[in-house]
């Protein structure tokens, strides 16, 4: 195969993979926003699971987290360990960073995270990443409304946003993740919070 043909083939494979990602994301968003899947009651637990999988930062014993709801935006933050690039890739692709058949974690920002789209199709995310011995902070806007072409365009925009990540010498005073849901289904917020309230005495 010539170099030119090999390049075209690799480009075609990348385009096909991204198209498959967009189709999978659209399906999972649709499922999350269906009233029959129970996603409106499950979303807080998926976020808590992500925090559990992250674990504390080096030198910390615990992870601090918070939910804040102002009637239009739900803000979720935590100060767990920074993200690995594999986990960022799972976030953007709607896939999972879990090791196959792992008994220890479910994979931060894995497929379960898609359940949180019960709240909104659009999420503004700020995440701290640790790779190659350095920290960087990236701001990414997830917009998973619309058809596959629209979702595919957002996947590409998210990859571009990653290139604008800002190096940081330290994460002191910064959250590891800040997820701001532009809520279009406030009833899902109420259902999830009530489900969490009922369950907390059994969790802690």
């Amino acid at each position: 195969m010539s170099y030119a043909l090999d390049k075209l083939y690799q480009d075609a494979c990348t385009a096909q993979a991204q198209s498959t990602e967009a189709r999978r994301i659209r399906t999972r968003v649709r499922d999350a926003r269906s009233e029959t899947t129970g996603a409106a009651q499950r979303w807080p637990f998926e976020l808590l699971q992500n925090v559990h999988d992250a674990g504390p930062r080096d030198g910390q014993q615990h992870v601090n987290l918070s939910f804040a709801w102002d009637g239009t935006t739900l803000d979720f933050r935590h100060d767990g360990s920074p993200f690995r690039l594999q986990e960022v890739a799972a976030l953007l692709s709607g896939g999972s960073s879990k090791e196959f058949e792992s008994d220890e974690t479910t994979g931060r920002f894995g497929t379960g995270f898609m359940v949180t789209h019960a709240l909104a199709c659009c999420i503004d995310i700020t995440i701290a990443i640790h790779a190659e011995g350095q920290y960087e902070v990236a701001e990414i806007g997830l917009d998973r409304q619309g058809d596959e072409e629209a979702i595919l365009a957002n996947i590409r925009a998210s990859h571009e946003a990653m290139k604008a990540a800002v190096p940081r010498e330290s994460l002191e005073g910064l959250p590891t993740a800040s997820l701001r849901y532009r809520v279009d289904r406030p009833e899902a917020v109420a259902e999830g919070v009530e489900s969490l309230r009922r369950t907390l005495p059994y969790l802690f």
Side-chain angles (χ1 to χ4, degrees):
M1 181 181 289
S2 68
Y3 174 80
L5 189 58
D6 180 59
K7 179 65 167 58
L8 290 172
Y9 173 69
Q10 295 299 328
D11 290 345
C13 288
T14 298
Q16 180 61 43
Q18 290 184 339
S19 179
T20 300
E21 288 176 6
R23 187 175 304 115
R24 181 174 60 237
I25 288 171
R26 187 184 184 195
T27 299
R28 288 177 176 159
V29 170
R30 182 188 61 204
D31 290 346
R33 298 174 71 76
S34 168
E35 295 182 0
T36 63
T37 61
Q41 297 181 20
R42 289 167 46 206
W43 64 262
F45 304 98
E46 295 296 343
L47 291 175
L48 291 176
Q49 183 67 60
N50 284 332
V51 174
H52 178 270
D53 288 344
R57 292 181 184 176
D58 290 342
Q60 294 186 181
Q61 292 185 334
H62 306 287
V63 179
N64 300 298
L65 62 87
S66 66
F67 293 93
W69 166 238
D70 65 6
T72 59
T73 302
L74 178 80
D75 187 283
F76 173 72
R77 299 185 180 200
H78 73 78
D79 64 354
S81 63
F83 286 78
R84 296 173 295 136
L85 290 176
Q86 180 185 6
E87 294 166 336
V88 179
L91 164 64
L92 300 185
S93 69
S96 176
S97 60
K98 175 186 177 183
E99 293 182 8
F100 186 62
E101 294 185 342
S102 169
D103 292 327
E104 297 182 0
T105 68
T106 58
R108 180 161 42 160
F109 275 117
T111 53
F113 172 72
M114 299 298 292
V115 168
T116 71
H117 281 295
L119 299 170
C121 289
C122 299
I123 314 170
D124 298 315
I125 298 177
T126 302
I127 53 174
I129 304 163
H130 185 247
E132 299 296 324
Q134 66 180 26
Y135 298 114
E136 298 199 15
V137 175
E139 296 186 358
I140 303 165
L142 293 185
D143 185 346
R144 288 169 169 172
Q145 56 190 338
D147 58 16
E148 289 175 22
E149 285 299 318
I151 293 173
L152 181 56
N154 182 248
I155 290 174
R156 291 169 177 159
S158 297
H159 290 313
E160 289 301 312
M162 278 293 296
K163 296 178 183 179
V166 178
R168 298 275 186 172
E169 290 187 7
S170 169
L171 298 180
E172 186 175 357
L174 295 175
T176 297
S178 174
L179 286 72
R180 296 170 297 281
Y181 290 83
R182 290 182 251 163
V183 174
D184 53 28
R185 297 182 67 208
E187 67 275 11
V189 177
E191 284 189 48
V193 170
E194 175 59 21
S195 179
L196 182 62
R197 186 191 66 79
R198 292 197 310 266
T199 309
L200 279 177
Y202 302 98
L203 292 177
F204 302 102

